[in-house]
Amino acid sequence: MSQLLANLNPEQLAAVTLPARHALILAGAGSGKTRVLTTRIAWLIQNGHCSPQGILAVTFTNKAAKEMIARLTAMFPINTRGMWIGTFHGLCNRLLRAHHREAGLPQLFQILDSGDQLSAIKRLLKALNVDDDKFPPRDMQHYINAQKEAGVRPQGVEAWDDYTRRRLEIYVEYEAQCQREGVVDFPELLLRCYELLERNEPIRRHYQSRFRHILVDEFQDTNVLQYRWLKLLADNGQTGSACLFCVGDDDQSIYRFRGAEVGNMRDFERDFRVTDVVRLEQNYRSQGNILDAANALITHNSRRLGKNLWTDQGAGEPIRVYEAYTDTDEARFVVEEIQSLVRDGGRRDEIALLYRSNAQSRVLEHQLFSAGIPYRVYGGLRFFERQEVKHALAYMRLLANPDDDTAFQRVVNFPTRGIGARSLEALQDAARTWNTPLYQTVPHLSGKPGTSLAQFVMLIERIRQETACLPLPECVEHVLTFSGLRAHYEKEKDGQERLENLDELVNAAASFQAEAGAGSAPGDVSSEPATVLAEFLAHASLEAGDHQADAGVEAVQLMTVHAAKGLEFDVVFLSGLEEGLFPHENSASENDGLEEERRLMYVAVTRARRRLYLSFTQSRMLHGQVRYNMRSRFLEEIPDKLLKWLTPRSTPRGLAQEAAPRYYNPPTRKAEPSMPPPPPQKSRDLGGFRIGQTVRHPRFGDGTITAAEGSGQDARVEVRFAGVGSKWLMLSMAKLEAV
């Protein structure tokens, strides 16, 4: 026990060893919250407060759940297979699988990820003959998900005009379609699970008595329904109920646009009469000046639960501030600093470029590309979201559940097999007439459409028969081969990467089967091939929501501040600190909008370990227009003594600033020993064109070349067209002519 608690600071020790009652742990950035959570679980088990099966631990990502399990396994010998550790969606999926009949679901129900849900909504709107200009599919998706995340079924929605009534009708039809096809979307997992527990007292009492300790990570990110789900499992705080151990940081609540409700932390204190509130304020990540800046910023927010980060690592370097004339000058400065840091031995993958809006990345990418610095935009397509992987999964979903119309529509003509739009329309009309899924409707169709579609059904049935007894990896390999996916991508000019992803899907199936079949504790995957396949497909849908680790060369990381939460780097550049950009202009009209923006700034600052750069511009190209800026109020909220200005400090924020001249010299900044001048840029072969030249495009009309990159056949130019905005064009293909 002494070894388990060794090296915990006093606040961490107090949190880990709290008596068995409700507790709120305010865990500041970099304060070791994961260590506290895992050590708390280990302490409860070792002290005999509960068995491993009496623990329910909820995280927000599969990565966090896996890390928690790995740490627990390393602490002491324990079989974690019987433990319920996972995301809200993963745990609800597990519970619904065990009680699918009571929940009104088929045994092998499938999960729609966000992309498949959108496809299902598009298909529904077309079937209902709904004008998708008036009711855009993505807007309907957000509307439906928002209702579910608030715990509201169609019968609980108020309709006060024709528009809201029509949206409500679409919501009703969407629910009927999902029920008919035996599929659930992500919000449905939680809502269906909550409703099952609420109305079925024996099942609810079973889980309330089983889970004596419920531990929640990132509690500030919970939405209304997730909090209600936790309250239900904890028996609403009644005497003898489970103990809720909630870990979070109200200062890092930045996902309101996803439904996160920071007020849940205050509600938890009140609803459960929490007397144990422990603040983890010692930071093990950042140096003192960075933390002092973060503390000074966040004190401007009201209704905080309150804490103050500190460190024993010393003050460290001051925060560097750079004022640029334009966004190009700002990006050039960032690249020069990166070159200097790398020359001094810094690692590129320990350097992060953060920005408030995705639109800011282009000019940064351009300067990095021109300087030959490898970079990676964090948050690209994840593995299970890649086109070729989703095609393969759709074939496997049809094997598991032929009534899945979304999967049917995705692959019925991919690879192409002569089934056109008219054939599908005829099939959809027949399906509505017979009130059956598309797959079951095929035998009712005659003529050429019926023949082509029958051949597809025969293909699926043949694959199902041939894979019925195969292990999961061999099943996946068989699907890839006999569906024609492998042959299709082998013919593509750039199909090698897609083929490698298909190979990796087979590897993923093998790993899943090895992990899932290693034990037989309650909740483990059955050895039946059909059940293993269904669980693998559920795993793929759940994993699609997590970021996959990037592989490849050492590269500078580019990402939005939202994407950076949970990450940390030696060096952080935060660009675009201008009013209207950060804080975002929309925050002024939103309730609590400015405070959420300040929490976002707090998250950005606390990503840095050793060095932090803050930059802003006097003018910036945004959405094809030049915008003249005032520096962000957030810069004014950081004490001057923590800042080192690399350029002469301009007029205070809020005073008029002169527009930047069209041609200018970069602003003077204080020289640093590690900043030699950048190498001169090589001249480019632009085929006779030059920056500043007026050109004509056959589609966009007349414009002016404003930037260029590459050379020879790879050269491309940025042209600003009147009424169209700026476009990047390949000179070898654009058919530009000088005016």
Side-chain angles (χ1 to χ4, degrees):
M1 183 61 63
S2 59
Q3 184 179 4
L4 182 68
L5 303 179
N7 301 318
L8 294 177
N9 66 40
E11 291 76 22
Q12 291 174 335
L13 180 63
V16 167
T17 57
L18 280 172
R21 54 179 179 252
H22 305 303
L24 177 61
I25 313 301
L26 294 176
S31 62
K33 68 178 180 62
T34 304
R35 184 181 186 185
V36 167
L37 273 167
T38 52
T39 309
R40 170 70 172 177
I41 294 173
W43 184 82
L44 288 170
I45 295 171
Q46 282 202 353
N47 268 337
H49 290 292
C50 69
S51 68
Q53 288 72 31
I55 296 286
L56 178 71
V58 189
T59 68
F60 267 82
T61 65
N62 290 309
K63 179 181 177 182
K66 290 176 181 177
E67 181 182 357
M68 189 178 293
I69 291 171
R71 289 196 186 196
L72 281 170
T73 304
M75 284 181 178
F76 59 94
I78 182 175
N79 179 10
T80 59
R81 292 195 171 276
M83 299 179 68
W84 284 54
I85 299 177
T87 64
F88 279 101
H89 294 114
L91 294 170
C92 288
N93 170 64
R94 183 171 178 176
L95 195 147
L96 290 173
R97 296 282 174 192
H99 305 283
H100 63 91
R101 290 188 185 87
E102 294 85 348
L105 290 170
Q107 182 178 5
L108 302 180
F109 67 85
Q110 298 299 302
I111 302 171
L112 297 178
D113 64 18
S114 180
D116 286 333
Q117 183 191 24
L118 184 61
S119 296
I121 291 172
K122 288 178 179 177
R123 174 163 45 86
L124 175 66
L125 295 179
K126 186 175 181 180
L128 296 175
N129 198 27
V130 172
D131 183 356
D132 57 9
D133 288 331
K134 190 174 182 181
F135 298 92
R138 196 169 294 278
D139 287 355
M140 282 305 309
Q141 181 182 34
H142 291 161
Y143 168 76
I144 291 170
N145 288 349
Q147 301 305 318
K148 290 187 178 186
E149 287 168 358
V152 180
R153 290 292 187 191
Q155 56 269 27
V157 178
E158 292 186 11
W160 55 86
D161 57 24
D162 290 342
Y163 179 74
T164 54
R165 274 192 291 274
R166 187 55 171 154
R167 288 212 302 182
L168 181 55
E169 290 170 1
I170 295 170
Y171 184 11
V172 171
E173 292 294 333
Y174 172 75
E175 286 212 319
Q177 174 178 286
C178 289
Q179 188 66 29
R180 183 172 63 250
E181 297 175 8
V183 296
V184 296
D185 52 44
F186 271 77
E188 182 71 19
L189 281 172
L190 188 63
L191 180 54
R192 185 74 66 111
C193 185
Y194 174 81
E195 291 172 339
L196 170 66
L197 293 172
E198 184 182 43
R199 70 170 181 263
N200 193 311
E201 185 174 358
I203 292 177
R204 181 175 71 250
R205 292 300 181 194
H206 167 75
Y207 286 103
Q208 286 173 340
S209 62
R210 171 175 178 168
F211 299 126
R212 307 311 303 156
H213 290 271
I214 301 174
L215 300 94
V216 188
D217 191 13
E218 303 287 8
F219 186 60
Q220 78 280 350
D221 292 334
T222 53
N223 61 32
V224 171
L225 183 58
Q226 288 165 343
Y227 181 49
R228 287 169 57 188
W229 185 81
L230 290 168
K231 288 176 65 177
L232 195 60
L233 279 174
D235 201 14
N236 283 325
Q238 299 301 313
T239 303
S241 64
C243 297
L244 273 171
F245 186 88
C246 298
V247 181
D249 183 2
D250 56 326
D251 292 333
Q252 295 189 77
S253 179
I254 61 172
Y255 295 124
R256 186 176 55 171
F257 65 95
R258 294 181 187 171
E261 179 51 66
V262 66
N264 285 345
M265 301 187 79
R266 292 188 295 272
D267 292 344
F268 171 57
E269 275 194 280
R270 182 188 65 250
D271 295 343
F272 288 83
R273 299 181 179 85
V274 176
T275 57
D276 293 315
V277 179
V278 179
R279 289 169 170 81
L280 305 181
E281 297 174 304
Q282 183 173 359
N283 179 282
Y284 295 93
R285 174 190 300 159
S286 306
Q287 294 181 328
N289 284 335
I290 293 171
L291 297 181
D292 289 346
N295 289 331
L297 273 166
I298 206 64
T299 55
H300 289 79
N301 274 6
S302 60
R303 300 189 302 277
R304 295 175 61 229
L305 295 174
K307 63 184 179 312
N308 201 62
L309 298 178
W310 63 275
T311 183
D312 58 8
Q313 298 183 47
E317 302 177 11
I319 296 168
R320 292 160 168 80
V321 182
Y322 183 80
E323 178 180 9
Y325 282 139
T326 67
D327 47 358
T328 299
D329 172 41
E330 179 186 48
R332 188 181 298 119
F333 158 73
V334 170
V335 167
E336 290 174 2
E337 288 290 317
I338 291 172
Q339 289 171 324
S340 175
L341 290 165
V342 172
R343 280 195 295 269
D344 287 349
R347 290 178 55 88
R348 284 189 293 267
D349 56 1
E350 284 295 345
I351 300 174
L353 278 55
L354 308 185
Y355 35 81
R356 173 65 180 86
S357 169
N358 268 316
Q360 294 171 249
S361 73
R362 189 202 61 77
V363 68
L364 291 167
E365 291 187 61
H366 171 64
Q367 291 296 328
L368 290 165
F369 175 83
S370 299
I373 298 175
Y375 68 90
R376 183 171 296 113
V377 179
Y378 187 88
L381 283 177
R382 275 88 67 186
F383 178 77
F384 287 111
E385 293 180 338
R386 293 169 188 166
Q387 180 201 78
E388 59 278 12
V389 175
K390 287 180 73 70
H391 284 326
L393 291 174
Y395 275 104
M396 289 184 275
R397 282 169 52 185
L398 277 181
L399 298 183
N401 177 15
D403 295 342
D404 187 340
D405 284 358
T406 302
F408 183 97
Q409 298 232 103
R410 185 179 187 92
V411 296
V412 65
N413 198 40
F414 191 90
T416 55
R417 48 178 61 90
I419 300 174
R422 289 188 178 181
S423 296
L424 286 177
E425 286 177 6
L427 179 63
Q428 290 163 352
D429 290 340
R432 283 192 291 273
T433 300
W434 290 88
N435 194 29
T436 55
L438 297 176
Y439 195 94
Q440 296 181 25
T441 308
V442 170
H444 300 292
L445 217 58
S446 59
K448 187 175 182 297
T451 302
S452 301
L453 288 162
Q455 290 175 348
F456 173 70
V457 169
M458 288 171 61
L459 171 66
I460 299 300
E461 289 301 322
R462 180 164 65 89
I463 294 176
R464 179 182 290 109
Q465 293 173 8
E466 293 170 350
T467 59
C469 299
L470 291 180
L472 182 61
E474 294 181 29
C475 172
V476 175
E477 181 62 57
H478 196 88
V479 168
L480 298 179
T481 301
F482 290 94
S483 66
L485 287 175
R486 280 204 184 278
H488 173 81
Y489 291 119
E490 284 170 355
K491 295 175 185 175
E492 280 195 352
K493 181 180 178 182
D494 301 316
Q496 186 57 41
E497 183 176 346
R498 297 189 186 277
L499 289 170
E500 291 172 359
N501 285 332
L502 294 180
D503 289 336
E504 188 57 33
L505 183 62
V506 179
N507 296 338
S511 298
F512 177 83
Q513 180 165 280
E515 294 174 5
S520 57
D524 279 352
V525 178
S526 166
S527 59
E528 290 294 324
T531 307
V532 174
L533 176 59
E535 288 291 342
F536 176 66
L537 293 171
H539 161 79
S541 295
L542 294 168
E543 283 284 321
D546 277 354
H547 291 294
Q548 306 295 321
D550 290 320
V553 298
E554 180 187 310
V556 174
Q557 306 289 308
L558 277 70
M559 67 194 77
T560 64
V561 181
H562 279 104
K565 186 171 182 296
L567 305 177
E568 56 187 77
F569 305 91
D570 284 343
V571 180
V572 168
F573 291 84
L574 178 58
S575 62
L577 279 173
E578 298 135 31
E579 287 293 302
L581 186 54
F582 201 1
H584 195 275
E585 57 192 354
N586 291 346
S587 65
S589 59
E590 296 174 350
N591 183 35
D592 193 37
L594 183 59
E595 296 212 348
E596 174 117 347
E597 289 289 298
R598 190 175 284 109
R599 292 194 292 267
L600 192 59
M601 178 70 177
Y602 176 85
V603 167
V605 169
T606 54
R607 298 311 95 196
R609 296 191 193 104
R610 295 190 296 106
R611 185 179 288 196
L612 175 63
Y613 292 86
L614 307 177
S615 62
F616 62 99
T617 71
Q618 293 181 13
S619 67
R620 179 179 299 278
M621 283 289 295
L622 279 177
H623 312 299
Q625 307 238 342
V626 176
R627 185 164 76 182
Y628 298 99
N629 312 302
M630 294 182 294
R631 65 172 174 258
S632 171
R633 71 190 70 196
F634 296 153
L635 264 174
E636 307 301 316
E637 294 172 358
I638 299 176
D640 287 341
K641 65 181 181 180
L642 303 176
L643 303 177
K644 177 181 180 180
W645 285 77
L646 303 180
T647 49
R649 188 165 186 168
S650 64
T651 55
R653 185 189 70 80
L655 299 183
Q657 298 181 11
E658 293 183 3
R662 184 173 178 83
Y663 300 101
Y664 61 91
N665 294 318
T668 304
R669 56 188 169 89
K670 300 175 184 178
E672 297 191 40
S674 61
M675 293 300 298
Q681 292 188 347
K682 296 180 180 180
S683 60
R684 295 187 178 89
D685 174 15
L686 299 178
F689 294 103
R690 67 184 186 280
I691 294 176
Q693 183 178 14
T694 301
V695 293
R696 180 167 295 151
H697 186 273
R699 178 180 175 188
F700 302 125
D702 291 353
T704 303
I705 297 177
T706 57
E709 66 181 24
S711 183
Q713 289 295 313
D714 296 325
R716 66 175 190 153
V717 293
E718 184 182 36
V719 184
R720 186 180 304 154
F721 296 100
V724 179
S726 295
K727 304 280 186 183
W728 279 95
L729 304 170
M730 293 292 296
L731 283 175
S732 60
M733 303 172 62
K735 298 181 180 179
L736 292 178
E737 59 181 54
V739 176

